[in-house]
């Protein structure tokens, strides 16, 4: 079975090898060291320089991501949520250069980044803000919805139609909802 999976495996199109970079990122996270990166932005293909407090490495939808807090207030002023308490998400294969700095940062334990809680609320690793949504689900399997959205719960059920509420992070949820076609009808976004 493993040989079959290896034979049919198709690697991501970026073709970048970044195992050493991931190791260095992991060390910087463990030692609470600042990093500086040059990052290839997707929206305009510009390379931007960032000074970051790295807090986690995550895997989702074929890619590895760095979650990190941006140090520079000048950079954050152009963001949708200026004083965002959540980290920014960077696809690791798009990091062009990285330096681990000697300077350390401190995040109190009570304010630490909780990767598990973040993962429950994020779909497709798109940034944005926390939002509460409600929608009507008319598809064949409510369990697939509850599994995809770990914070979701059924508010009401009638004739195999469900009213579902969830707390989600970022704009990726909008793309996912559109991909469900007629099965999902949005009721409310807060």
């Amino acid at each position: 079975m493993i040989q079959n999976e290896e034979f049919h495996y198709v690697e991501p199109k970026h073709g970048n090898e970044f195992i050493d970079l991931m190791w260095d990122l992991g060390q910087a996270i463990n030692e609470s060291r600042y990093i500086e990166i040059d990052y290839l932005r997707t929206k305009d293909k510009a390379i931007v320089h960032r000074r970051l407090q790295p807090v986690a490495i995550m895997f989702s939808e074929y890619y590895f991501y760095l979650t990190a807090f941006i140090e520079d207030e000048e950079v954050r002023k152009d963001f949708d949520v200026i004083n965002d308490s959540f980290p920014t998400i960077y696809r690791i294969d798009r990091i062009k250069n990285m330096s681990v700095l000697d300077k350390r940062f401190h995040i109190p334990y009570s304010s630490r980044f909780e990767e598990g809680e973040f993962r429950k609320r994020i779909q497709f690793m798109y940034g944005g803000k926390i939002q509460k949504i409600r929608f009507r689900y008319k598809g064949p399997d409510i369990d697939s919805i509850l599994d995809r959205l770990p914070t979701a719960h059924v508010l009401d059920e009638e004739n195999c139609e469900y009213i579902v509420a969830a707390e989600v992070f970022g704009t990726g949820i909008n793309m996912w909802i559109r991909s469900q076609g007629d099965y999902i009808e949005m009721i409310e976004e807060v």
Side-chain angles (χ1 to χ4, degrees):
M1 288 179 0
I2 292 172
Q3 285 177 333
N4 187 52
E5 285 299 311
E6 282 182 324
F7 179 77
H8 292 287
Y9 173 74
V10 178
E11 71 179 63
K13 300 294 181 218
H14 62 69
N16 296 343
E17 289 188 25
F18 49 84
I19 191 76
D20 292 337
L21 175 61
M22 279 187 36
W23 178 263
D24 293 342
L25 286 168
Q27 293 293 101
I29 291 165
N30 284 337
E31 297 172 5
S32 298
R33 292 191 184 274
Y34 283 93
I35 63 171
E36 289 184 351
I37 64 170
D38 292 325
Y39 184 75
L40 177 63
R41 216 167 32 196
T42 54
K43 66 179 178 182
D44 58 5
K45 304 297 183 215
I47 294 184
V48 295
H49 186 78
R50 298 285 186 260
R51 182 177 171 151
L52 307 170
Q53 297 175 348
V55 292
I57 294 173
M58 301 175 75
F59 181 81
S60 179
E61 306 288 330
Y62 308 107
Y63 302 109
F64 286 94
Y65 295 88
L66 168 67
T67 53
F69 293 101
I70 297 175
E71 175 75 1
D72 189 346
E73 288 184 29
E74 188 66 24
V75 170
R76 288 196 320 244
K77 76 177 172 73
D78 294 329
F79 283 21
D80 292 336
V81 184
I82 293 174
N83 292 318
D84 197 351
S85 61
F86 290 95
T88 302
I89 303 161
Y90 300 91
R91 228 173 78 182
I92 291 178
D93 62 282
R94 292 191 179 133
I95 296 174
K96 299 305 176 191
N97 294 304
M98 185 196 67
S99 299
V100 178
L101 306 179
D102 290 332
K103 185 177 178 187
R104 294 175 187 257
F105 60 91
H106 175 71
I107 298 174
Y109 185 77
S110 62
S111 302
R112 75 194 181 284
F113 174 69
E114 295 192 49
E115 183 180 336
E117 289 302 312
F118 186 67
R119 185 176 293 283
K120 286 180 194 176
R121 290 167 175 78
I122 189 161
Q123 283 68 41
F124 304 106
M125 300 305 266
Y126 281 81
K129 60 184 178 182
I130 286 281
Q131 57 185 321
K132 295 181 187 217
I133 60 171
R134 283 191 319 137
F135 57 88
R136 181 180 323 279
Y137 177 70
K138 300 180 270 187
D141 184 12
I142 188 63
D143 288 341
S144 66
I145 301 302
L146 300 176
D147 290 339
R148 180 66 175 158
L149 304 172
T151 63
H153 56 280
V154 174
L155 298 174
D156 193 23
E157 187 263 324
E158 189 174 312
N159 299 326
C160 294
E161 287 189 11
Y162 301 86
I163 303 297
V164 178
E167 184 177 74
V168 297
F169 176 83
T171 60
I173 188 68
N174 301 328
M175 179 174 35
W176 179 79
I177 285 174
R178 286 191 305 273
S179 76
Q180 301 305 300
D182 293 336
Y183 288 158
I184 291 183
E185 171 191 335
M186 275 305 275
I187 297 172
E188 179 180 25
E189 287 182 69
V190 180

